[in-house]
Amino acid sequence: MINWFPPAAIFILGVFLVPFMWGRIRQAYLLLIPTIAFIDLLYMSEGTNYIFNFLGHEIILGRVDKLSMAFGYVFVIMAFIGALYSVHLKGKGEHIAALLYAGSALGVVFAGDYLSLFIFWEIMAVSSTFLIWARGTNASNGAGLRYILIHFFGGLLLLTGIIIQVSATGSLSFDYLGLGSPSSLLILLGFALNAAIPPLSAWLSDAYPEATVTGAVFLSAFTTKTAVYVLARAFPGTEILVWAGAIMTLYGVVFAFLANDIRRILAYHIISQVGFMVTGIGIGTALSINGSIAHAFSHILYKGLLFMGTGAVLYMTGKSKLTDLGGLYKTMPVTFILYMIGALSISAFPLFSGFVSKSIIVDAAKVEYLTTIWILLSISSVGTFLSLGLKLAYYTWFGEDAGIEAKEPPANMLLAMGIASFLCILIGVYPLLLYNLLPFKFEYLPYTAEHVIWTLQYLFFTALCFFVLLKYLALKTYIVLDTDWFYRRGSRAVMWIVNNHMSALGTMLTRFSFDIVPSSLGRFSKNPISFLKITADTLIMTFSSLPYKEKIRRQIMREKEIYPGDIIRHWPIGSTVLWVTLFLLAYLLIYYLYD
Amino acid sequence: MVEIVHSAAPLCAIGVSLVAVILMVISKGYPNLREFWTIGASILKFSIVVSMLPTILDGKVIEYSLYSILPGLDIKFRVDPMGIFFALTASFLWIITSFYSIGYMRALKEHAQTRYFIFFAIALSATMGVAFSANLFTTFLFYELITLSTFPLVAHTETPEAIKSSRRYIAYLLGTSIAFQLSAIFLTYNATGTLEFSNHGILAGKAPDMLLIIIFILFMAGITKAAMMPFHSWLPAAMVAPTPVSALLHAVAVVKTGVFVLLKVILFVFGVDLLSKLGVGTALAYFASFTIIVASFIALRQDNLKLRLAYSTISQLSYVVLAVALLTPGGITASVMHIIIHAFGKITLFFAAGAIYVATRKTNISELNGIGKQMPLTMAAFTIGVLSMIGVPPAAGFISKWYMISGSIEARQIPFIIVIAASTILNACYFLPIVYTAYFKRHDNEIYNEEWRMLNKGYGMINLNSEVRIKEAPPLMVVSLILTAIGTLVLFFWPSLFLELARMVVGGAI
């Protein structure tokens, strides 16, 4: 019999006990849940289990193979590190949201069919929004609302694609799909939105910097990497992804350069690094897909570390803008070192995790003779180091001293960062640990002389350029216009039309139908003949020539004055009887003639 | 042939609350006894309906002839899958609403409580009557009875505004149903000689197409309880009623009767084949889409919580109309399921609005800053209701959306998927700000205390507790809304009973 639980269940069911615990017990419990999930992972064996029937379809909650296990491991590890980082929080809201978020991400990873995938997908979107709203500022209220609206939109694209798929093929199973039919395009778009492929990426840079200090750590780990997982399962080898990914890498780096908020810089770098993974999926060879998964694994760890480091700066100083920071190396040296480990990892320094994973993708591009892609990826590697390893670190920890008195963050945050750093270095030094988790069998040696020299070469030259050109790289504050300008301005325009014109139209229609029409009918019914006569006279007046116009106008005014007047005077009863008799006679004639 | 069982059970289900009315009149001076009759009647009514369920699930149908006024005009009851679906929803939610009403009325020390409970019971009787009616005449009779019996409920507070609104309420509902629905019934009888509902409709081939289209338009205009634009204004006007009445009106009795009768007319008077042939399905779907979108935009502009919920109801009711207008199995399933799914979701939202009013006397969304800390249970239930309205799993609204999109694809009509998508986003736009205002905006107490502390920093005064104290509405109300919120979740995980009934409806109609 199966001796394991879907890890999603451990997190989601674990949420129910959180309100009943407090203090140290709750803290221990929050760390216990990911630990139990990790042990659970060790017991999981390949295969498909936990099959249920829902809405007339078969849903699979436990599809285990190497691809899903790789993501499962890194998600649970990150959930533990994030829980440790956030264990000092007093309120339970963020903890519940984070647990649901991690749990539903694991649900997506082990889902074997589209329906359960979609259900967990939506739970991820809703729970992550609470991590953004929990910040409590006006900016985070708006950013969170935009975040969830965009994710509902992406979810709708995905849902429509799924339903078209299921009505066309009759099967909900989630396996290789490939881009071919309209439904697969919709599903791809739904996945692409979560993967933050531009132009569907503005939500990431909008919302992640507005999240709480601890929430951003979770956010950086799950949504985009879940999207990478589903893309790797359903769309490997799709050519458009190769180009989309390569452009993404540059897009992220360029916008990161323009950004001022340290966590916004990191958010744009998420887009850039996910671009590497998307390219790897698009190339589609065993080597490149392995590279994407490996890169996702190391990215979760080092990006989490970077967000933890910058989050610590925000938490201890209350500031997050490069223009407001500087000179922190004196007061926060440990944070600085741990941050730099993350920065060196992302820049793919040898001996760090980024080196052993990013190289696989770049090499895969080389092997397939995709020269342009290779060049683009290399340029963005340079940009990544420049932006994160050099510019951000310099202006936050060195640079002009902003005179901020800050201390090191609390022990739990340092410990969490320490664990993440340790893992980054461990994977960098002993990559086989990571390579054994990858879905395809391969032999890859990242530490070749050629490779190490090439990497060190461009990294050191980048550093040289940075320090030489330092005075030209003075910080300016920009407002970066991203693709969200369209829907943010667009929705304001729509609301302007609704508030002014649509409501005016509605008021006018209501007034017309329920005010003017009944009152006109009321006036009419008081003296219909006279009313009709006034109307007829008015018509004659408009169509008659000038001398008569004045005469008729005065007549109309007299008639209106005496309205409703006394009707009986105008119609003697004799003529009424005559008219009625004639009418009945005519009816009689017609009846007999046509019978 | 469907096997027919003759039993007086439907009459009993209707009659139970009428008997309770007499008992309530007698026990006028004894509030607890009077409340006992209400609760007893509601539980008994639900039990009778449930007792009929096994027979219906077996594929049989229960009939009972009450009285024949003229040949062709009889008061006759028939219990079929759709009828019992609606009756289960209405009678179960009446039990919960009764407890909620007791809590609400006593907390606010309202006047004329006996009148309130009496007309509530009559309204539910009439609802059962519509659910179990076998022909258009019985339907019309009980339909008007609902309007008349809910009129005193809408005018309950007896303020000038309430009197004016209740006049508008009855003008719209009675006016349109007599002008249009009654004419349509006359024309149907004239064309077919019968008013009985039947699978595959009674009007096929009985009259020229033009006349059939006119009858259809008259029916659609006349069933105003379904709140389709432009005859929707009675619903926001009815918000002057006490909140349990609004909850009942907007989840159970009046509006669901409207869409229920509309479904019956479309499926069992006209029939899916006839409507596809006439091509009016698409036109109706566009009308419904118009209501869905425009009502959502109007909801965006409302600050009063109950008005926002009212316009949301108008929008959601047209979901049912849109779904059935697609004339496909998925669409019909969606429309039937949405009756109960929307009922549970909306009643939770209204219960929460009433609880907020009782606990804090606040009615506007802009006043609700930080109320999630003060009323955590209420707002948690509210959030679940919101998720159901938007259609996010694990709330039951997702099931409606799944079937609606399936129905659109079966009908090969892509524009309606865009309508559903736009409506989902709009629902999120006007409901989610309430959620984050409640949870993530600073409660007035917190700001007040913080300012006070900043001003008095130097004086070493006592530390004011800036914690917002939990102050929920009375337990009867809070338990009710938690139960309906849980019901929304339960419907998501175990919808099989209702899906089975919906499947039987589809089987009968197609």
Side-chain angles (χ1 to χ4, degrees), chain A residues 73-91:
Chain A
Y73 276 115
V74 70
F75 280 174
V76 172
I77 294 173
M78 197 61 214
F80 179 83
I81 296 176
L84 181 57
Y85 187 74
S86 61
V87 86
H88 62 280
L89 289 175
K90 293 273 185 296

mmCIF file with all atom_site columns, all heavy atoms in Angstrom, chain A residues 73-91:
data_model
loop_
_atom_site.group_PDB
_atom_site.id
_atom_site.type_symbol
_atom_site.label_atom_id
_atom_site.label_alt_id
_atom_site.label_comp_id
_atom_site.label_asym_id
_atom_site.label_entity_id
_atom_site.label_seq_id
_atom_site.pdbx_PDB_ins_code
_atom_site.Cartn_x
_atom_site.Cartn_y
_atom_site.Cartn_z
_atom_site.occupancy
_atom_site.B_iso_or_equiv
_atom_site.pdbx_formal_charge
_atom_site.auth_seq_id
_atom_site.auth_comp_id
_atom_site.auth_asym_id
_atom_site.auth_atom_id
_atom_site.pdbx_PDB_model_num
ATOM 1   N N   . TYR A 1 73 ? 11.239 18.446 -3.894 1.00 0.00 ? 73 TYR A N   1
ATOM 2   C CA  . TYR A 1 73 ? 12.312 18.628 -2.919 1.00 0.00 ? 73 TYR A CA  1
ATOM 3   C C   . TYR A 1 73 ? 12.621 20.101 -2.684 1.00 0.00 ? 73 TYR A C   1
ATOM 4   O O   . TYR A 1 73 ? 12.674 20.579 -1.559 1.00 0.00 ? 73 TYR A O   1
ATOM 5   C CB  . TYR A 1 73 ? 13.588 17.917 -3.385 1.00 0.00 ? 73 TYR A CB  1
ATOM 6   C CG  . TYR A 1 73 ? 13.623 16.467 -3.028 1.00 0.00 ? 73 TYR A CG  1
ATOM 7   C CD1 . TYR A 1 73 ? 13.611 15.484 -4.019 1.00 0.00 ? 73 TYR A CD1 1
ATOM 8   C CD2 . TYR A 1 73 ? 13.663 16.059 -1.695 1.00 0.00 ? 73 TYR A CD2 1
ATOM 9   C CE1 . TYR A 1 73 ? 13.627 14.144 -3.690 1.00 0.00 ? 73 TYR A CE1 1
ATOM 10  C CE2 . TYR A 1 73 ? 13.676 14.723 -1.360 1.00 0.00 ? 73 TYR A CE2 1
ATOM 11  C CZ  . TYR A 1 73 ? 13.666 13.769 -2.367 1.00 0.00 ? 73 TYR A CZ  1
ATOM 12  O OH  . TYR A 1 73 ? 13.674 12.437 -2.044 1.00 0.00 ? 73 TYR A OH  1
ATOM 13  N N   . VAL A 1 74 ? 12.814 20.830 -3.792 1.00 0.00 ? 74 VAL A N   1
ATOM 14  C CA  . VAL A 1 74 ? 13.247 22.209 -3.597 1.00 0.00 ? 74 VAL A CA  1
ATOM 15  C C   . VAL A 1 74 ? 12.129 23.056 -3.003 1.00 0.00 ? 74 VAL A C   1
ATOM 16  O O   . VAL A 1 74 ? 12.381 23.953 -2.195 1.00 0.00 ? 74 VAL A O   1
ATOM 17  C CB  . VAL A 1 74 ? 13.794 22.810 -4.911 1.00 0.00 ? 74 VAL A CB  1
ATOM 18  C CG1 . VAL A 1 74 ? 12.700 23.046 -5.919 1.00 0.00 ? 74 VAL A CG1 1
ATOM 19  C CG2 . VAL A 1 74 ? 14.538 24.088 -4.642 1.00 0.00 ? 74 VAL A CG2 1
ATOM 20  N N   . PHE A 1 75 ? 10.869 22.748 -3.327 1.00 0.00 ? 75 PHE A N   1
ATOM 21  C CA  . PHE A 1 75 ? 9.773  23.512 -2.732 1.00 0.00 ? 75 PHE A CA  1
ATOM 22  C C   . PHE A 1 75 ? 9.703  23.290 -1.228 1.00 0.00 ? 75 PHE A C   1
ATOM 23  O O   . PHE A 1 75 ? 9.508  24.217 -0.449 1.00 0.00 ? 75 PHE A O   1
ATOM 24  C CB  . PHE A 1 75 ? 8.440  23.130 -3.379 1.00 0.00 ? 75 PHE A CB  1
ATOM 25  C CG  . PHE A 1 75 ? 8.178  23.785 -4.703 1.00 0.00 ? 75 PHE A CG  1
ATOM 26  C CD1 . PHE A 1 75 ? 7.072  23.423 -5.453 1.00 0.00 ? 75 PHE A CD1 1
ATOM 27  C CD2 . PHE A 1 75 ? 9.008  24.755 -5.213 1.00 0.00 ? 75 PHE A CD2 1
ATOM 28  C CE1 . PHE A 1 75 ? 6.806  24.023 -6.682 1.00 0.00 ? 75 PHE A CE1 1
ATOM 29  C CE2 . PHE A 1 75 ? 8.763  25.357 -6.440 1.00 0.00 ? 75 PHE A CE2 1
ATOM 30  C CZ  . PHE A 1 75 ? 7.654  24.982 -7.179 1.00 0.00 ? 75 PHE A CZ  1
ATOM 31  N N   . VAL A 1 76 ? 9.863  22.040 -0.808 1.00 0.00 ? 76 VAL A N   1
ATOM 32  C CA  . VAL A 1 76 ? 9.765  21.770 0.625  1.00 0.00 ? 76 VAL A CA  1
ATOM 33  C C   . VAL A 1 76 ? 10.945 22.393 1.365  1.00 0.00 ? 76 VAL A C   1
ATOM 34  O O   . VAL A 1 76 ? 10.782 22.981 2.440  1.00 0.00 ? 76 VAL A O   1
ATOM 35  C CB  . VAL A 1 76 ? 9.684  20.256 0.885  1.00 0.00 ? 76 VAL A CB  1
ATOM 36  C CG1 . VAL A 1 76 ? 9.769  19.968 2.360  1.00 0.00 ? 76 VAL A CG1 1
ATOM 37  C CG2 . VAL A 1 76 ? 8.391  19.702 0.331  1.00 0.00 ? 76 VAL A CG2 1
ATOM 38  N N   . ILE A 1 77 ? 12.137 22.295 0.764  1.00 0.00 ? 77 ILE A N   1
ATOM 39  C CA  . ILE A 1 77 ? 13.305 22.911 1.413  1.00 0.00 ? 77 ILE A CA  1
ATOM 40  C C   . ILE A 1 77 ? 13.081 24.413 1.555  1.00 0.00 ? 77 ILE A C   1
ATOM 41  O O   . ILE A 1 77 ? 13.325 25.012 2.611  1.00 0.00 ? 77 ILE A O   1
ATOM 42  C CB  . ILE A 1 77 ? 14.583 22.641 0.591  1.00 0.00 ? 77 ILE A CB  1
ATOM 43  C CG1 . ILE A 1 77 ? 14.913 21.150 0.608  1.00 0.00 ? 77 ILE A CG1 1
ATOM 44  C CG2 . ILE A 1 77 ? 15.765 23.433 1.136  1.00 0.00 ? 77 ILE A CG2 1
ATOM 45  C CD1 . ILE A 1 77 ? 16.043 20.786 -0.310 1.00 0.00 ? 77 ILE A CD1 1
ATOM 46  N N   . MET A 1 78 ? 12.580 25.032 0.476  1.00 0.00 ? 78 MET A N   1
ATOM 47  C CA  . MET A 1 78 ? 12.359 26.477 0.537  1.00 0.00 ? 78 MET A CA  1
ATOM 48  C C   . MET A 1 78 ? 11.253 26.819 1.517  1.00 0.00 ? 78 MET A C   1
ATOM 49  O O   . MET A 1 78 ? 11.305 27.845 2.182  1.00 0.00 ? 78 MET A O   1
ATOM 50  C CB  . MET A 1 78 ? 11.990 27.002 -0.859 1.00 0.00 ? 78 MET A CB  1
ATOM 51  C CG  . MET A 1 78 ? 12.143 28.484 -0.961 1.00 0.00 ? 78 MET A CG  1
ATOM 52  S SD  . MET A 1 78 ? 13.846 28.967 -0.658 1.00 0.00 ? 78 MET A SD  1
ATOM 53  C CE  . MET A 1 78 ? 13.597 30.524 0.142  1.00 0.00 ? 78 MET A CE  1
ATOM 54  N N   . ALA A 1 79 ? 10.233 25.974 1.591  1.00 0.00 ? 79 ALA A N   1
ATOM 55  C CA  . ALA A 1 79 ? 9.163  26.233 2.551  1.00 0.00 ? 79 ALA A CA  1
ATOM 56  C C   . ALA A 1 79 ? 9.724  26.225 3.971  1.00 0.00 ? 79 ALA A C   1
ATOM 57  O O   . ALA A 1 79 ? 9.349  27.052 4.807  1.00 0.00 ? 79 ALA A O   1
ATOM 58  C CB  . ALA A 1 79 ? 8.061  25.180 2.418  1.00 0.00 ? 79 ALA A CB  1
ATOM 59  N N   . PHE A 1 80 ? 10.666 25.310 4.248  1.00 0.00 ? 80 PHE A N   1
ATOM 60  C CA  . PHE A 1 80 ? 11.273 25.277 5.569  1.00 0.00 ? 80 PHE A CA  1
ATOM 61  C C   . PHE A 1 80 ? 12.087 26.542 5.829  1.00 0.00 ? 80 PHE A C   1
ATOM 62  O O   . PHE A 1 80 ? 11.972 27.181 6.876  1.00 0.00 ? 80 PHE A O   1
ATOM 63  C CB  . PHE A 1 80 ? 12.178 24.042 5.705  1.00 0.00 ? 80 PHE A CB  1
ATOM 64  C CG  . PHE A 1 80 ? 12.859 23.964 7.025  1.00 0.00 ? 80 PHE A CG  1
ATOM 65  C CD1 . PHE A 1 80 ? 12.205 23.431 8.131  1.00 0.00 ? 80 PHE A CD1 1
ATOM 66  C CD2 . PHE A 1 80 ? 14.159 24.441 7.191  1.00 0.00 ? 80 PHE A CD2 1
ATOM 67  C CE1 . PHE A 1 80 ? 12.822 23.369 9.364  1.00 0.00 ? 80 PHE A CE1 1
ATOM 68  C CE2 . PHE A 1 80 ? 14.774 24.389 8.427  1.00 0.00 ? 80 PHE A CE2 1
ATOM 69  C CZ  . PHE A 1 80 ? 14.119 23.858 9.512  1.00 0.00 ? 80 PHE A CZ  1
ATOM 70  N N   . ILE A 1 81 ? 12.907 26.914 4.838  1.00 0.00 ? 81 ILE A N   1
ATOM 71  C CA  . ILE A 1 81 ? 13.749 28.102 5.017  1.00 0.00 ? 81 ILE A CA  1
ATOM 72  C C   . ILE A 1 81 ? 12.872 29.333 5.202  1.00 0.00 ? 81 ILE A C   1
ATOM 73  O O   . ILE A 1 81 ? 13.127 30.182 6.068  1.00 0.00 ? 81 ILE A O   1
ATOM 74  C CB  . ILE A 1 81 ? 14.690 28.280 3.807  1.00 0.00 ? 81 ILE A CB  1
ATOM 75  C CG1 . ILE A 1 81 ? 15.663 27.113 3.727  1.00 0.00 ? 81 ILE A CG1 1
ATOM 76  C CG2 . ILE A 1 81 ? 15.448 29.590 3.902  1.00 0.00 ? 81 ILE A CG2 1
ATOM 77  C CD1 . ILE A 1 81 ? 16.564 27.159 2.525  1.00 0.00 ? 81 ILE A CD1 1
ATOM 78  N N   . GLY A 1 82 ? 11.819 29.449 4.400  1.00 0.00 ? 82 GLY A N   1
ATOM 79  C CA  . GLY A 1 82 ? 10.914 30.588 4.525  1.00 0.00 ? 82 GLY A CA  1
ATOM 80  C C   . GLY A 1 82 ? 10.211 30.608 5.872  1.00 0.00 ? 82 GLY A C   1
ATOM 81  O O   . GLY A 1 82 ? 10.044 31.669 6.488  1.00 0.00 ? 82 GLY A O   1
ATOM 82  N N   . ALA A 1 83 ? 9.806  29.408 6.340  1.00 0.00 ? 83 ALA A N   1
ATOM 83  C CA  . ALA A 1 83 ? 9.146  29.351 7.636  1.00 0.00 ? 83 ALA A CA  1
ATOM 84  C C   . ALA A 1 83 ? 10.108 29.804 8.732  1.00 0.00 ? 83 ALA A C   1
ATOM 85  O O   . ALA A 1 83 ? 9.727  30.540 9.650  1.00 0.00 ? 83 ALA A O   1
ATOM 86  C CB  . ALA A 1 83 ? 8.655  27.932 7.904  1.00 0.00 ? 83 ALA A CB  1
ATOM 87  N N   . LEU A 1 84 ? 11.356 29.381 8.629  1.00 0.00 ? 84 LEU A N   1
ATOM 88  C CA  . LEU A 1 84 ? 12.347 29.797 9.610  1.00 0.00 ? 84 LEU A CA  1
ATOM 89  C C   . LEU A 1 84 ? 12.561 31.306 9.569  1.00 0.00 ? 84 LEU A C   1
ATOM 90  O O   . LEU A 1 84 ? 12.641 31.975 10.601 1.00 0.00 ? 84 LEU A O   1
ATOM 91  C CB  . LEU A 1 84 ? 13.673 29.064 9.332  1.00 0.00 ? 84 LEU A CB  1
ATOM 92  C CG  . LEU A 1 84 ? 14.849 29.349 10.267 1.00 0.00 ? 84 LEU A CG  1
ATOM 93  C CD1 . LEU A 1 84 ? 14.464 29.045 11.701 1.00 0.00 ? 84 LEU A CD1 1
ATOM 94  C CD2 . LEU A 1 84 ? 16.050 28.508 9.862  1.00 0.00 ? 84 LEU A CD2 1
ATOM 95  N N   . TYR A 1 85 ? 12.610 31.846 8.359  1.00 0.00 ? 85 TYR A N   1
ATOM 96  C CA  . TYR A 1 85 ? 12.826 33.286 8.179  1.00 0.00 ? 85 TYR A CA  1
ATOM 97  C C   . TYR A 1 85 ? 11.680 34.084 8.786  1.00 0.00 ? 85 TYR A C   1
ATOM 98  O O   . TYR A 1 85 ? 11.852 35.191 9.266  1.00 0.00 ? 85 TYR A O   1
ATOM 99  C CB  . TYR A 1 85 ? 12.960 33.574 6.685  1.00 0.00 ? 85 TYR A CB  1
ATOM 100 C CG  . TYR A 1 85 ? 13.353 34.973 6.332  1.00 0.00 ? 85 TYR A CG  1
ATOM 101 C CD1 . TYR A 1 85 ? 14.650 35.432 6.510  1.00 0.00 ? 85 TYR A CD1 1
ATOM 102 C CD2 . TYR A 1 85 ? 12.429 35.861 5.779  1.00 0.00 ? 85 TYR A CD2 1
ATOM 103 C CE1 . TYR A 1 85 ? 15.023 36.712 6.156  1.00 0.00 ? 85 TYR A CE1 1
ATOM 104 C CE2 . TYR A 1 85 ? 12.784 37.138 5.423  1.00 0.00 ? 85 TYR A CE2 1
ATOM 105 C CZ  . TYR A 1 85 ? 14.088 37.562 5.616  1.00 0.00 ? 85 TYR A CZ  1
ATOM 106 O OH  . TYR A 1 85 ? 14.447 38.832 5.256  1.00 0.00 ? 85 TYR A OH  1
ATOM 107 N N   . SER A 1 86 ? 10.449 33.520 8.735  1.00 0.00 ? 86 SER A N   1
ATOM 108 C CA  . SER A 1 86 ? 9.278  34.293 9.152  1.00 0.00 ? 86 SER A CA  1
ATOM 109 C C   . SER A 1 86 ? 8.757  33.875 10.517 1.00 0.00 ? 86 SER A C   1
ATOM 110 O O   . SER A 1 86 ? 7.688  34.303 10.923 1.00 0.00 ? 86 SER A O   1
ATOM 111 C CB  . SER A 1 86 ? 8.166  34.143 8.113  1.00 0.00 ? 86 SER A CB  1
ATOM 112 O OG  . SER A 1 86 ? 7.789  32.791 8.010  1.00 0.00 ? 86 SER A OG  1
ATOM 113 N N   . VAL A 1 87 ? 9.518  33.042 11.230 1.00 0.00 ? 87 VAL A N   1
ATOM 114 C CA  . VAL A 1 87 ? 8.969  32.451 12.441 1.00 0.00 ? 87 VAL A CA  1
ATOM 115 C C   . VAL A 1 87 ? 8.727  33.486 13.538 1.00 0.00 ? 87 VAL A C   1
ATOM 116 O O   . VAL A 1 87 ? 7.990  33.237 14.477 1.00 0.00 ? 87 VAL A O   1
ATOM 117 C CB  . VAL A 1 87 ? 9.898  31.313 12.916 1.00 0.00 ? 87 VAL A CB  1
ATOM 118 C CG1 . VAL A 1 87 ? 11.011 31.870 13.781 1.00 0.00 ? 87 VAL A CG1 1
ATOM 119 C CG2 . VAL A 1 87 ? 9.146  30.226 13.608 1.00 0.00 ? 87 VAL A CG2 1
ATOM 120 N N   . HIS A 1 88 ? 9.360  34.672 13.397 1.00 0.00 ? 88 HIS A N   1
ATOM 121 C CA  . HIS A 1 88 ? 9.206  35.679 14.441 1.00 0.00 ? 88 HIS A CA  1
ATOM 122 C C   . HIS A 1 88 ? 7.898  36.433 14.321 1.00 0.00 ? 88 HIS A C   1
ATOM 123 O O   . HIS A 1 88 ? 7.550  37.199 15.208 1.00 0.00 ? 88 HIS A O   1
ATOM 124 C CB  . HIS A 1 88 ? 10.357 36.686 14.349 1.00 0.00 ? 88 HIS A CB  1
ATOM 125 C CG  . HIS A 1 88 ? 10.353 37.419 13.041 1.00 0.00 ? 88 HIS A CG  1
ATOM 126 N ND1 . HIS A 1 88 ? 10.845 36.882 11.883 1.00 0.00 ? 88 HIS A ND1 1
ATOM 127 C CD2 . HIS A 1 88 ? 9.878  38.640 12.699 1.00 0.00 ? 88 HIS A CD2 1
ATOM 128 C CE1 . HIS A 1 88 ? 10.706 37.742 10.890 1.00 0.00 ? 88 HIS A CE1 1
ATOM 129 N NE2 . HIS A 1 88 ? 10.110 38.818 11.355 1.00 0.00 ? 88 HIS A NE2 1
ATOM 130 N N   . LEU A 1 89 ? 7.142  36.254 13.248 1.00 0.00 ? 89 LEU A N   1
ATOM 131 C CA  . LEU A 1 89 ? 5.916  37.030 13.054 1.00 0.00 ? 89 LEU A CA  1
ATOM 132 C C   . LEU A 1 89 ? 4.864  36.657 14.081 1.00 0.00 ? 89 LEU A C   1
ATOM 133 O O   . LEU A 1 89 ? 4.649  35.484 14.358 1.00 0.00 ? 89 LEU A O   1
ATOM 134 C CB  . LEU A 1 89 ? 5.349  36.769 11.653 1.00 0.00 ? 89 LEU A CB  1
ATOM 135 C CG  . LEU A 1 89 ? 6.126  37.367 10.494 1.00 0.00 ? 89 LEU A CG  1
ATOM 136 C CD1 . LEU A 1 89 ? 5.486  36.913 9.203  1.00 0.00 ? 89 LEU A CD1 1
ATOM 137 C CD2 . LEU A 1 89 ? 6.146  38.874 10.575 1.00 0.00 ? 89 LEU A CD2 1
ATOM 138 N N   . LYS A 1 90 ? 4.184  37.695 14.610 1.00 0.00 ? 90 LYS A N   1
ATOM 139 C CA  . LYS A 1 90 ? 3.201  37.424 15.651 1.00 0.00 ? 90 LYS A CA  1
ATOM 140 C C   . LYS A 1 90 ? 1.852  36.998 15.094 1.00 0.00 ? 90 LYS A C   1
ATOM 141 O O   . LYS A 1 90 ? 1.200  36.119 15.611 1.00 0.00 ? 90 LYS A O   1
ATOM 142 C CB  . LYS A 1 90 ? 2.999  38.697 16.495 1.00 0.00 ? 90 LYS A CB  1
ATOM 143 C CG  . LYS A 1 90 ? 4.193  39.106 17.296 1.00 0.00 ? 90 LYS A CG  1
ATOM 144 C CD  . LYS A 1 90 ? 4.203  38.388 18.643 1.00 0.00 ? 90 LYS A CD  1
ATOM 145 C CE  . LYS A 1 90 ? 5.331  38.872 19.543 1.00 0.00 ? 90 LYS A CE  1
ATOM 146 N NZ  . LYS A 1 90 ? 6.649  38.577 19.005 1.00 0.00 ? 90 LYS A NZ  1
ATOM 147 N N   . GLY A 1 91 ? 1.413  37.659 14.032 1.00 0.00 ? 91 GLY A N   1
ATOM 148 C CA  . GLY A 1 91 ? 0.080  37.360 13.507 1.00 0.00 ? 91 GLY A CA  1
ATOM 149 C C   . GLY A 1 91 ? 0.054  36.027 12.791 1.00 0.00 ? 91 GLY A C   1
ATOM 150 O O   . GLY A 1 91 ? 1.064  35.541 12.313 1.00 0.00 ? 91 GLY A O   1
#
